[in-house]
Amino acid sequence: CGKILDGGVRIARNYSTRESKGFAYVEYKNPEGAHGAVNKAAKPFGMTVKGRPCFVDYDEGSIKGSFKTQDGRMWSRQYKH
């Protein structure tokens, strides 16, 4: 699809159990990469992760400021986005 920013994949996890909530955020270097991912996933059986269908949507909103990295640091401070 396109190039992904360094630190641009953030998996949403339960704060207590650290288990995945079943969705993630991916930040691409340019809008064309994001549009390519959406277009590829829109095709029947277009995108899978470990054999499971992957649904992709596009958002231009800002990154949630409270997202923390695996070691507990604020994501926005670590990657300065």
Side-chain angles (χ1 to χ4, degrees), residues 33-78:
H35 287 293
V38 171
N39 290 336
K40 182 176 180 179
K43 297 176 184 176
F45 308 104
M47 201 175 286
T48 61
V49 175
K50 293 190 174 186
R52 298 179 66 182
C54 182
F55 302 97
V56 179
D57 197 2
Y58 182 79
D59 184 13
E60 294 184 25
S62 61
I63 296 170
K64 184 177 177 183
S66 64
F67 184 83
K68 293 184 180 180
T69 62
Q70 188 173 359
D71 59 2
R73 291 183 283 170
M74 297 301 287
W75 183 90
S76 58
R77 289 185 187 144
Q78 182 173 348

Side-chain angles (χ1 to χ4, degrees), residues 3-28:
K3 301 271 183 182
I4 297 172
L5 290 175
D6 183 35
V9 177
R10 299 175 314 279
I11 300 171
R13 297 186 181 277
N14 178 291
Y15 184 77
S16 300
T17 66
R18 305 303 302 154
E19 289 184 25
S20 170
K21 291 183 176 182
F23 64 95
Y25 301 93
V26 178
E27 190 172 3
Y28 288 89

